[in-house]
Amino acid sequence: EVQLLESGGDLVQPGESLRLSCAASGFTFSSYGMSWVRQAPGKGLEWVSAISGSGGSTYYADSVKGRFTISRDSSKNTLYLQMNSLRADDTAVYYCAKGLGPSAIIPDNWGLGTLVTVSS
Amino acid sequence: QAVVTQEPSLTVSPGGTVTLTCGSSTGAVTSGHYPYWFQQKPGQAPRTLIHDISNKHSWTPARFSGSLLGGKAALTLSGAQPEDEAEYYCLLFQSGVVVFGGGTKLTVL
């Protein structure tokens, strides 16, 4: 059974940094693309970033490009999202998701999410 | 960036049939957009119902089906149940970018 467990969400001030983690189990981690999707309070879903199974290809939404970095560690079966220069509009629940294949950047299996709040 | 459009809200009677649609501001939705449909209930994470137009997961109730209809992706619910009341999001892959629709709030009443 695929399990994705996000962690690292916190309350931070504008301009600060935060790193989210997603521990994966139940599948061969390096064989699947992974992505991050966020949802601001009371709002819809927004795709944030994705990474191929090998880690060789990364993709970002324009809203986070240059501030966020996605990475993965196959030895730890863990996906990361390094978030720098955080802004109030980055406040959201961040979901980790697994794709359907090694190059799949579309979220398919979802974690439960972790809340990031950016506020002074 | 292209905009993905969905009906903001729809209502269906218990046992009834309803079709939700997903359009693209760039033109007709095709298989190349890899349409997905997700269900999200309050306080829960999204759950994928349909991928690649019409493919279901093992957990997708048989009453849900996906298709292309009139230049849009469509999610049809046949025989609505009270537990189907939820927000439904579609997703399109457009020009190398993943874009979600704004969501359809489905009421079963």
Side-chain angles (χ1 to χ4, degrees):
Chain A
E1 179 193 2
V2 172
Q3 291 197 9
L4 301 167
L5 184 60
E6 302 92 336
S7 62
D10 203 351
L11 169 62
V12 297
Q13 296 193 348
E16 292 188 339
S17 298
L18 198 61
R19 189 177 81 159
L20 305 183
S21 300
C22 171
S25 61
F27 63 100
T28 304
F29 184 65
S30 60
S31 294
Y32 294 90
M34 300 290 294
S35 54
W36 289 97
V37 176
R38 68 184 181 184
Q39 186 170 35
K43 302 298 184 183
L45 301 172
E46 180 187 14
W47 176 80
V48 172
S49 182
I51 186 168
S52 62
S54 67
S57 298
T58 57
Y59 310 85
Y60 298 94
D62 287 344
S63 58
V64 306
K65 202 172 293 183
R67 299 189 299 124
F68 290 11
T69 302
I70 191 171
S71 62
R72 61 192 300 160
D73 185 339
S74 291
S75 68
K76 297 182 179 179
N77 284 356
T78 302
L79 176 73
Y80 302 101
L81 186 67
Q82 177 67 44
M83 303 185 294
N84 298 332
S85 303
L86 282 162
R87 311 185 302 220
D89 62 0
D90 294 317
T91 295
V93 173
Y94 284 73
Y95 295 102
C96 159
K98 166 188 166 293
L100 283 178
S103 302
I105 66 170
I106 299 175
D108 191 66
N109 289 86
W110 297 67
L112 297 179
T114 187
L115 177 62
V116 173
T117 303
V118 184
S119 175
S120 55
Chain B
Q1 177 176 297
V3 175
V4 177
T5 56
Q6 298 183 245
E7 299 84 1
S9 63
L10 290 170
T11 300
V12 61
S13 300
T17 296
V18 63
T19 297
L20 289 65
T21 67
C22 176
S24 171
S25 62
T26 63
V29 174
T30 69
S31 60
H33 289 98
Y34 304 99
Y36 271 61
W37 290 94
F38 308 93
Q39 178 192 64
Q40 187 179 34
K41 296 181 179 180
Q44 296 185 16
R47 179 177 73 152
T48 304
L49 291 177
I50 300 288
H51 66 92
D52 300 313
I53 303 175
S54 59
N55 294 288
K56 301 180 185 182
H57 281 296
S58 58
W59 55 79
T60 305
R63 58 186 180 273
F64 289 96
S65 63
S67 64
L68 292 180
L69 192 64
K72 296 182 178 182
L75 176 70
T76 299
L77 170 58
S78 303
Q81 301 297 309
E83 61 266 30
D84 298 328
E85 185 160 297
E87 192 84 23
Y88 291 83
Y89 293 94
C90 73
L91 173 158
L92 300 179
F93 184 69
Q94 302 194 125
S95 303
V97 179
V98 175
V99 184
F100 284 94
T104 295
K105 181 174 175 56
L106 181 66
T107 302
V108 180
L109 189 60

PDB file of all heavy atoms in Angstrom, chain B residues 65-102:
ATOM      1  N   SER B  65     -17.467   7.893 -14.027  1.00  0.00           N
ATOM      2  CA  SER B  65     -16.811   7.591 -15.287  1.00  0.00           C
ATOM      3  C   SER B  65     -16.282   8.878 -15.900  1.00  0.00           C
ATOM      4  O   SER B  65     -16.837   9.962 -15.665  1.00  0.00           O
ATOM      5  CB  SER B  65     -17.753   6.891 -16.254  1.00  0.00           C
ATOM      6  OG  SER B  65     -18.843   7.738 -16.574  1.00  0.00           O
ATOM      7  N   GLY B  66     -15.214   8.751 -16.688  1.00  0.00           N
ATOM      8  CA  GLY B  66     -14.608   9.904 -17.332  1.00  0.00           C
ATOM      9  C   GLY B  66     -14.656   9.772 -18.836  1.00  0.00           C
ATOM     10  O   GLY B  66     -14.648   8.659 -19.375  1.00  0.00           O
ATOM     11  N   SER B  67     -14.675  10.916 -19.524  1.00  0.00           N
ATOM     12  CA  SER B  67     -14.738  10.911 -20.979  1.00  0.00           C
ATOM     13  C   SER B  67     -14.314  12.275 -21.507  1.00  0.00           C
ATOM     14  O   SER B  67     -14.042  13.204 -20.741  1.00  0.00           O
ATOM     15  CB  SER B  67     -16.163  10.603 -21.451  1.00  0.00           C
ATOM     16  OG  SER B  67     -17.056  11.632 -21.045  1.00  0.00           O
ATOM     17  N   LEU B  68     -14.237  12.357 -22.838  1.00  0.00           N
ATOM     18  CA  LEU B  68     -14.112  13.641 -23.527  1.00  0.00           C
ATOM     19  C   LEU B  68     -15.470  13.927 -24.156  1.00  0.00           C
ATOM     20  O   LEU B  68     -16.046  13.067 -24.834  1.00  0.00           O
ATOM     21  CB  LEU B  68     -13.029  13.592 -24.596  1.00  0.00           C
ATOM     22  CG  LEU B  68     -11.579  13.452 -24.105  1.00  0.00           C
ATOM     23  CD1 LEU B  68     -10.625  13.424 -25.288  1.00  0.00           C
ATOM     24  CD2 LEU B  68     -11.215  14.572 -23.134  1.00  0.00           C
ATOM     25  N   LEU B  69     -15.954  15.150 -23.944  1.00  0.00           N
ATOM     26  CA  LEU B  69     -17.303  15.480 -24.373  1.00  0.00           C
ATOM     27  C   LEU B  69     -17.342  16.924 -24.851  1.00  0.00           C
ATOM     28  O   LEU B  69     -17.094  17.847 -24.069  1.00  0.00           O
ATOM     29  CB  LEU B  69     -18.256  15.296 -23.192  1.00  0.00           C
ATOM     30  CG  LEU B  69     -19.763  15.315 -23.438  1.00  0.00           C
ATOM     31  CD1 LEU B  69     -20.156  14.142 -24.312  1.00  0.00           C
ATOM     32  CD2 LEU B  69     -20.502  15.260 -22.097  1.00  0.00           C
ATOM     33  N   GLY B  70     -17.606  17.094 -26.133  1.00  0.00           N
ATOM     34  CA  GLY B  70     -17.753  18.449 -26.659  1.00  0.00           C
ATOM     35  C   GLY B  70     -16.539  19.322 -26.449  1.00  0.00           C
ATOM     36  O   GLY B  70     -16.661  20.513 -26.138  1.00  0.00           O
ATOM     37  N   GLY B  71     -15.343  18.763 -26.594  1.00  0.00           N
ATOM     38  CA  GLY B  71     -14.128  19.543 -26.465  1.00  0.00           C
ATOM     39  C   GLY B  71     -13.671  19.748 -25.029  1.00  0.00           C
ATOM     40  O   GLY B  71     -12.744  20.516 -24.763  1.00  0.00           O
ATOM     41  N   LYS B  72     -14.338  19.068 -24.110  1.00  0.00           N
ATOM     42  CA  LYS B  72     -13.949  19.165 -22.712  1.00  0.00           C
ATOM     43  C   LYS B  72     -13.758  17.767 -22.122  1.00  0.00           C
ATOM     44  O   LYS B  72     -14.255  16.781 -22.672  1.00  0.00           O
ATOM     45  CB  LYS B  72     -15.025  19.902 -21.905  1.00  0.00           C
ATOM     46  CG  LYS B  72     -15.243  21.348 -22.307  1.00  0.00           C
ATOM     47  CD  LYS B  72     -16.292  21.999 -21.403  1.00  0.00           C
ATOM     48  CE  LYS B  72     -16.493  23.464 -21.760  1.00  0.00           C
ATOM     49  NZ  LYS B  72     -17.482  24.120 -20.844  1.00  0.00           N
ATOM     50  N   ALA B  73     -13.059  17.713 -21.005  1.00  0.00           N
ATOM     51  CA  ALA B  73     -13.046  16.480 -20.218  1.00  0.00           C
ATOM     52  C   ALA B  73     -14.313  16.475 -19.371  1.00  0.00           C
ATOM     53  O   ALA B  73     -14.792  17.534 -18.951  1.00  0.00           O
ATOM     54  CB  ALA B  73     -11.810  16.408 -19.336  1.00  0.00           C
ATOM     55  N   ALA B  74     -14.843  15.295 -19.146  1.00  0.00           N
ATOM     56  CA  ALA B  74     -16.094  15.195 -18.396  1.00  0.00           C
ATOM     57  C   ALA B  74     -16.014  14.085 -17.363  1.00  0.00           C
ATOM     58  O   ALA B  74     -15.412  13.037 -17.607  1.00  0.00           O
ATOM     59  CB  ALA B  74     -17.266  14.949 -19.344  1.00  0.00           C
ATOM     60  N   LEU B  75     -16.626  14.345 -16.214  1.00  0.00           N
ATOM     61  CA  LEU B  75     -16.771  13.342 -15.164  1.00  0.00           C
ATOM     62  C   LEU B  75     -18.267  13.147 -14.963  1.00  0.00           C
ATOM     63  O   LEU B  75     -18.975  14.101 -14.626  1.00  0.00           O
ATOM     64  CB  LEU B  75     -16.126  13.812 -13.870  1.00  0.00           C
ATOM     65  CG  LEU B  75     -16.293  12.885 -12.667  1.00  0.00           C
ATOM     66  CD1 LEU B  75     -15.467  11.596 -12.856  1.00  0.00           C
ATOM     67  CD2 LEU B  75     -15.887  13.585 -11.369  1.00  0.00           C
ATOM     68  N   THR B  76     -18.746  11.935 -15.183  1.00  0.00           N
ATOM     69  CA  THR B  76     -20.155  11.633 -15.024  1.00  0.00           C
ATOM     70  C   THR B  76     -20.360  10.753 -13.803  1.00  0.00           C
ATOM     71  O   THR B  76     -19.676   9.752 -13.630  1.00  0.00           O
ATOM     72  CB  THR B  76     -20.717  10.944 -16.271  1.00  0.00           C
ATOM     73  OG1 THR B  76     -20.572  11.829 -17.398  1.00  0.00           O
ATOM     74  CG2 THR B  76     -22.194  10.622 -16.093  1.00  0.00           C
ATOM     75  N   LEU B  77     -21.302  11.179 -12.983  1.00  0.00           N
ATOM     76  CA  LEU B  77     -21.691  10.420 -11.802  1.00  0.00           C
ATOM     77  C   LEU B  77     -23.104   9.903 -12.058  1.00  0.00           C
ATOM     78  O   LEU B  77     -24.039  10.696 -12.218  1.00  0.00           O
ATOM     79  CB  LEU B  77     -21.650  11.316 -10.578  1.00  0.00           C
ATOM     80  CG  LEU B  77     -22.235  10.787  -9.274  1.00  0.00           C
ATOM     81  CD1 LEU B  77     -21.567   9.500  -8.849  1.00  0.00           C
ATOM     82  CD2 LEU B  77     -22.125  11.848  -8.174  1.00  0.00           C
ATOM     83  N   SER B  78     -23.245   8.594 -12.101  1.00  0.00           N
ATOM     84  CA  SER B  78     -24.535   7.964 -12.366  1.00  0.00           C
ATOM     85  C   SER B  78     -25.010   7.224 -11.120  1.00  0.00           C
ATOM     86  O   SER B  78     -24.379   6.278 -10.688  1.00  0.00           O
ATOM     87  CB  SER B  78     -24.412   6.973 -13.528  1.00  0.00           C
ATOM     88  OG  SER B  78     -23.923   7.616 -14.688  1.00  0.00           O
ATOM     89  N   GLY B  79     -26.141   7.664 -10.586  1.00  0.00           N
ATOM     90  CA  GLY B  79     -26.634   7.061  -9.353  1.00  0.00           C
ATOM     91  C   GLY B  79     -25.971   7.699  -8.140  1.00  0.00           C
ATOM     92  O   GLY B  79     -25.352   7.027  -7.330  1.00  0.00           O
ATOM     93  N   ALA B  80     -26.105   9.018  -8.017  1.00  0.00           N
ATOM     94  CA  ALA B  80     -25.419   9.748  -6.955  1.00  0.00           C
ATOM     95  C   ALA B  80     -25.822   9.267  -5.568  1.00  0.00           C
ATOM     96  O   ALA B  80     -27.002   8.977  -5.314  1.00  0.00           O
ATOM     97  CB  ALA B  80     -25.711  11.245  -7.085  1.00  0.00           C
ATOM     98  N   GLN B  81     -24.848   9.210  -4.681  1.00  0.00           N
ATOM     99  CA  GLN B  81     -25.049   8.826  -3.293  1.00  0.00           C
ATOM    100  C   GLN B  81     -24.738  10.020  -2.388  1.00  0.00           C
ATOM    101  O   GLN B  81     -23.957  10.900  -2.764  1.00  0.00           O
ATOM    102  CB  GLN B  81     -24.146   7.662  -2.931  1.00  0.00           C
ATOM    103  CG  GLN B  81     -24.358   6.424  -3.789  1.00  0.00           C
ATOM    104  CD  GLN B  81     -25.746   5.851  -3.623  1.00  0.00           C
ATOM    105  OE1 GLN B  81     -26.201   5.625  -2.499  1.00  0.00           O
ATOM    106  NE2 GLN B  81     -26.431   5.605  -4.745  1.00  0.00           N
ATOM    107  N   PRO B  82     -25.318  10.058  -1.205  1.00  0.00           N
ATOM    108  CA  PRO B  82     -25.039  11.189  -0.302  1.00  0.00           C
ATOM    109  C   PRO B  82     -23.550  11.380  -0.045  1.00  0.00           C
ATOM    110  O   PRO B  82     -23.088  12.523   0.088  1.00  0.00           O
ATOM    111  CB  PRO B  82     -25.792  10.789   0.977  1.00  0.00           C
ATOM    112  CG  PRO B  82     -26.900   9.915   0.503  1.00  0.00           C
ATOM    113  CD  PRO B  82     -26.331   9.160  -0.664  1.00  0.00           C
ATOM    114  N   GLU B  83     -22.797  10.288  -0.018  1.00  0.00           N
ATOM    115  CA  GLU B  83     -21.363  10.394   0.241  1.00  0.00           C
ATOM    116  C   GLU B  83     -20.578  10.969  -0.929  1.00  0.00           C
ATOM    117  O   GLU B  83     -19.364  11.215  -0.798  1.00  0.00           O
ATOM    118  CB  GLU B  83     -20.774   9.025   0.625  1.00  0.00           C
ATOM    119  CG  GLU B  83     -20.912   7.945  -0.427  1.00  0.00           C
ATOM    120  CD  GLU B  83     -22.136   7.079  -0.238  1.00  0.00           C
ATOM    121  OE1 GLU B  83     -23.156   7.580   0.293  1.00  0.00           O
ATOM    122  OE2 GLU B  83     -22.058   5.889  -0.641  1.00  0.00           O
ATOM    123  N   ASP B  84     -21.226  11.199  -2.047  1.00  0.00           N
ATOM    124  CA  ASP B  84     -20.551  11.808  -3.197  1.00  0.00           C
ATOM    125  C   ASP B  84     -20.528  13.327  -3.095  1.00  0.00           C
ATOM    126  O   ASP B  84     -19.895  13.992  -3.932  1.00  0.00           O
ATOM    127  CB  ASP B  84     -21.242  11.401  -4.504  1.00  0.00           C
ATOM    128  CG  ASP B  84     -21.190   9.907  -4.736  1.00  0.00           C
ATOM    129  OD1 ASP B  84     -20.206   9.271  -4.312  1.00  0.00           O
ATOM    130  OD2 ASP B  84     -22.143   9.377  -5.343  1.00  0.00           O
ATOM    131  N   GLU B  85     -21.188  13.876  -2.098  1.00  0.00           N
ATOM    132  CA  GLU B  85     -21.140  15.330  -1.904  1.00  0.00           C
ATOM    133  C   GLU B  85     -19.706  15.713  -1.540  1.00  0.00           C
ATOM    134  O   GLU B  85     -19.153  15.239  -0.538  1.00  0.00           O
ATOM    135  CB  GLU B  85     -22.114  15.755  -0.817  1.00  0.00           C
ATOM    136  CG  GLU B  85     -22.215  17.259  -0.647  1.00  0.00           C
ATOM    137  CD  GLU B  85     -23.486  17.686   0.063  1.00  0.00           C
ATOM    138  OE1 GLU B  85     -24.585  17.444  -0.465  1.00  0.00           O
ATOM    139  OE2 GLU B  85     -23.359  18.272   1.151  1.00  0.00           O
ATOM    140  N   ALA B  86     -19.097  16.572  -2.363  1.00  0.00           N
ATOM    141  CA  ALA B  86     -17.673  16.891  -2.217  1.00  0.00           C
ATOM    142  C   ALA B  86     -17.298  17.954  -3.231  1.00  0.00           C
ATOM    143  O   ALA B  86     -18.121  18.388  -4.041  1.00  0.00           O
ATOM    144  CB  ALA B  86     -16.818  15.643  -2.452  1.00  0.00           C
ATOM    145  N   GLU B  87     -16.037  18.369  -3.151  1.00  0.00           N
ATOM    146  CA  GLU B  87     -15.449  19.243  -4.167  1.00  0.00           C
ATOM    147  C   GLU B  87     -14.727  18.348  -5.160  1.00  0.00           C
ATOM    148  O   GLU B  87     -14.028  17.406  -4.761  1.00  0.00           O
ATOM    149  CB  GLU B  87     -14.458  20.221  -3.509  1.00  0.00           C
ATOM    150  CG  GLU B  87     -14.002  21.342  -4.390  1.00  0.00           C
ATOM    151  CD  GLU B  87     -14.966  22.528  -4.403  1.00  0.00           C
ATOM    152  OE1 GLU B  87     -15.743  22.686  -3.446  1.00  0.00           O
ATOM    153  OE2 GLU B  87     -14.943  23.302  -5.385  1.00  0.00           O
ATOM    154  N   TYR B  88     -14.904  18.641  -6.435  1.00  0.00           N
ATOM    155  CA  TYR B  88     -14.261  17.859  -7.483  1.00  0.00           C
ATOM    156  C   TYR B  88     -13.355  18.778  -8.299  1.00  0.00           C
ATOM    157  O   TYR B  88     -13.780  19.829  -8.775  1.00  0.00           O
ATOM    158  CB  TYR B  88     -15.309  17.213  -8.393  1.00  0.00           C
ATOM    159  CG  TYR B  88     -16.074  16.120  -7.679  1.00  0.00           C
ATOM    160  CD1 TYR B  88     -17.162  16.417  -6.870  1.00  0.00           C
ATOM    161  CD2 TYR B  88     -15.685  14.787  -7.784  1.00  0.00           C
ATOM    162  CE1 TYR B  88     -17.843  15.439  -6.179  1.00  0.00           C
ATOM    163  CE2 TYR B  88     -16.363  13.783  -7.104  1.00  0.00           C
ATOM    164  CZ  TYR B  88     -17.438  14.123  -6.303  1.00  0.00           C
ATOM    165  OH  TYR B  88     -18.103  13.142  -5.625  1.00  0.00           O
ATOM    166  N   TYR B  89     -12.113  18.363  -8.448  1.00  0.00           N
ATOM    167  CA  TYR B  89     -11.136  19.133  -9.215  1.00  0.00           C
ATOM    168  C   TYR B  89     -10.700  18.333 -10.436  1.00  0.00           C
ATOM    169  O   TYR B  89     -10.478  17.126 -10.352  1.00  0.00           O
ATOM    170  CB  TYR B  89      -9.894  19.425  -8.372  1.00  0.00           C
ATOM    171  CG  TYR B  89     -10.131  20.346  -7.203  1.00  0.00           C
ATOM    172  CD1 TYR B  89     -10.402  19.844  -5.933  1.00  0.00           C
ATOM    173  CD2 TYR B  89     -10.060  21.728  -7.356  1.00  0.00           C
ATOM    174  CE1 TYR B  89     -10.628  20.681  -4.858  1.00  0.00           C
ATOM    175  CE2 TYR B  89     -10.272  22.577  -6.277  1.00  0.00           C
ATOM    176  CZ  TYR B  89     -10.566  22.049  -5.041  1.00  0.00           C
ATOM    177  OH  TYR B  89     -10.772  22.889  -3.975  1.00  0.00           O
ATOM    178  N   CYS B  90     -10.564  19.027 -11.539  1.00  0.00           N
ATOM    179  CA  CYS B  90      -9.927  18.416 -12.694  1.00  0.00           C
ATOM    180  C   CYS B  90      -8.519  18.981 -12.836  1.00  0.00           C
ATOM    181  O   CYS B  90      -8.181  20.001 -12.231  1.00  0.00           O
ATOM    182  CB  CYS B  90     -10.725  18.631 -13.967  1.00  0.00           C
ATOM    183  SG  CYS B  90     -10.670  20.307 -14.628  1.00  0.00           S
ATOM    184  N   LEU B  91      -7.727  18.302 -13.615  1.00  0.00           N
ATOM    185  CA  LEU B  91      -6.338  18.695 -13.873  1.00  0.00           C
ATOM    186  C   LEU B  91      -6.035  18.439 -15.332  1.00  0.00           C
ATOM    187  O   LEU B  91      -6.435  17.409 -15.889  1.00  0.00           O
ATOM    188  CB  LEU B  91      -5.399  17.882 -12.973  1.00  0.00           C
ATOM    189  CG  LEU B  91      -3.888  17.993 -13.159  1.00  0.00           C
ATOM    190  CD1 LEU B  91      -3.184  17.569 -11.862  1.00  0.00           C
ATOM    191  CD2 LEU B  91      -3.378  17.136 -14.294  1.00  0.00           C
ATOM    192  N   LEU B  92      -5.350  19.375 -15.944  1.00  0.00           N
ATOM    193  CA  LEU B  92      -4.866  19.204 -17.308  1.00  0.00           C
ATOM    194  C   LEU B  92      -3.367  19.458 -17.354  1.00  0.00           C
ATOM    195  O   LEU B  92      -2.859  20.318 -16.614  1.00  0.00           O
ATOM    196  CB  LEU B  92      -5.575  20.153 -18.264  1.00  0.00           C
ATOM    197  CG  LEU B  92      -7.096  20.036 -18.391  1.00  0.00           C
ATOM    198  CD1 LEU B  92      -7.613  21.085 -19.364  1.00  0.00           C
ATOM    199  CD2 LEU B  92      -7.508  18.653 -18.838  1.00  0.00           C
ATOM    200  N   PHE B  93      -2.705  18.723 -18.214  1.00  0.00           N
ATOM    201  CA  PHE B  93      -1.281  18.928 -18.458  1.00  0.00           C
ATOM    202  C   PHE B  93      -1.185  19.765 -19.723  1.00  0.00           C
ATOM    203  O   PHE B  93      -1.551  19.314 -20.810  1.00  0.00           O
ATOM    204  CB  PHE B  93      -0.598  17.580 -18.630  1.00  0.00           C
ATOM    205  CG  PHE B  93       0.895  17.662 -18.804  1.00  0.00           C
ATOM    206  CD1 PHE B  93       1.697  18.059 -17.754  1.00  0.00           C
ATOM    207  CD2 PHE B  93       1.483  17.323 -20.002  1.00  0.00           C
ATOM    208  CE1 PHE B  93       3.072  18.131 -17.899  1.00  0.00           C
ATOM    209  CE2 PHE B  93       2.852  17.387 -20.162  1.00  0.00           C
ATOM    210  CZ  PHE B  93       3.656  17.790 -19.114  1.00  0.00           C
ATOM    211  N   GLN B  94      -0.732  21.004 -19.575  1.00  0.00           N
ATOM    212  CA  GLN B  94      -0.749  21.944 -20.697  1.00  0.00           C
ATOM    213  C   GLN B  94       0.616  22.594 -20.864  1.00  0.00           C
ATOM    214  O   GLN B  94       1.099  23.257 -19.952  1.00  0.00           O
ATOM    215  CB  GLN B  94      -1.810  23.028 -20.472  1.00  0.00           C
ATOM    216  CG  GLN B  94      -3.218  22.507 -20.296  1.00  0.00           C
ATOM    217  CD  GLN B  94      -4.265  23.589 -20.410  1.00  0.00           C
ATOM    218  OE1 GLN B  94      -5.187  23.500 -21.212  1.00  0.00           O
ATOM    219  NE2 GLN B  94      -4.125  24.614 -19.600  1.00  0.00           N
ATOM    220  N   SER B  95       1.198  22.422 -22.033  1.00  0.00           N
ATOM    221  CA  SER B  95       2.475  23.079 -22.343  1.00  0.00           C
ATOM    222  C   SER B  95       3.518  22.801 -21.271  1.00  0.00           C
ATOM    223  O   SER B  95       4.250  23.702 -20.850  1.00  0.00           O
ATOM    224  CB  SER B  95       2.274  24.593 -22.482  1.00  0.00           C
ATOM    225  OG  SER B  95       1.314  24.871 -23.472  1.00  0.00           O
ATOM    226  N   GLY B  96       3.559  21.559 -20.832  1.00  0.00           N
ATOM    227  CA  GLY B  96       4.570  21.162 -19.868  1.00  0.00           C
ATOM    228  C   GLY B  96       4.290  21.580 -18.440  1.00  0.00           C
ATOM    229  O   GLY B  96       5.154  21.448 -17.573  1.00  0.00           O
ATOM    230  N   VAL B  97       3.096  22.076 -18.206  1.00  0.00           N
ATOM    231  CA  VAL B  97       2.734  22.543 -16.866  1.00  0.00           C
ATOM    232  C   VAL B  97       1.461  21.853 -16.416  1.00  0.00           C
ATOM    233  O   VAL B  97       0.558  21.613 -17.211  1.00  0.00           O
ATOM    234  CB  VAL B  97       2.527  24.080 -16.865  1.00  0.00           C
ATOM    235  CG1 VAL B  97       2.117  24.566 -15.482  1.00  0.00           C
ATOM    236  CG2 VAL B  97       3.791  24.786 -17.311  1.00  0.00           C
ATOM    237  N   VAL B  98       1.421  21.543 -15.132  1.00  0.00           N
ATOM    238  CA  VAL B  98       0.234  20.930 -14.547  1.00  0.00           C
ATOM    239  C   VAL B  98      -0.677  22.042 -14.045  1.00  0.00           C
ATOM    240  O   VAL B  98      -0.242  22.894 -13.260  1.00  0.00           O
ATOM    241  CB  VAL B  98       0.630  19.997 -13.381  1.00  0.00           C
ATOM    242  CG1 VAL B  98      -0.607  19.445 -12.697  1.00  0.00           C
ATOM    243  CG2 VAL B  98       1.511  18.863 -13.887  1.00  0.00           C
ATOM    244  N   VAL B  99      -1.928  22.035 -14.491  1.00  0.00           N
ATOM    245  CA  VAL B  99      -2.868  23.093 -14.106  1.00  0.00           C
ATOM    246  C   VAL B  99      -4.154  22.476 -13.568  1.00  0.00           C
ATOM    247  O   VAL B  99      -4.759  21.625 -14.227  1.00  0.00           O
ATOM    248  CB  VAL B  99      -3.206  24.013 -15.303  1.00  0.00           C
ATOM    249  CG1 VAL B  99      -4.104  25.163 -14.839  1.00  0.00           C
ATOM    250  CG2 VAL B  99      -1.936  24.565 -15.942  1.00  0.00           C
ATOM    251  N   PHE B 100      -4.555  22.916 -12.392  1.00  0.00           N
ATOM    252  CA  PHE B 100      -5.818  22.467 -11.801  1.00  0.00           C
ATOM    253  C   PHE B 100      -6.943  23.422 -12.192  1.00  0.00           C
ATOM    254  O   PHE B 100      -6.728  24.638 -12.346  1.00  0.00           O
ATOM    255  CB  PHE B 100      -5.731  22.464 -10.277  1.00  0.00           C
ATOM    256  CG  PHE B 100      -4.954  21.319  -9.701  1.00  0.00           C
ATOM    257  CD1 PHE B 100      -3.610  21.457  -9.401  1.00  0.00           C
ATOM    258  CD2 PHE B 100      -5.570  20.109  -9.440  1.00  0.00           C
ATOM    259  CE1 PHE B 100      -2.891  20.401  -8.865  1.00  0.00           C
ATOM    260  CE2 PHE B 100      -4.863  19.047  -8.903  1.00  0.00           C
ATOM    261  CZ  PHE B 100      -3.512  19.201  -8.620  1.00  0.00           C
ATOM    262  N   GLY B 101      -8.130  22.878 -12.318  1.00  0.00           N
ATOM    263  CA  GLY B 101      -9.317  23.700 -12.418  1.00  0.00           C
ATOM    264  C   GLY B 101      -9.680  24.262 -11.050  1.00  0.00           C
ATOM    265  O   GLY B 101      -9.132  23.845 -10.025  1.00  0.00           O
ATOM    266  N   GLY B 102     -10.612  25.198 -11.047  1.00  0.00           N
ATOM    267  CA  GLY B 102     -10.985  25.848  -9.801  1.00  0.00           C
ATOM    268  C   GLY B 102     -11.864  25.007  -8.886  1.00  0.00           C
ATOM    269  O   GLY B 102     -12.091  25.383  -7.733  1.00  0.00           O
TER     270      GLY B 102
END
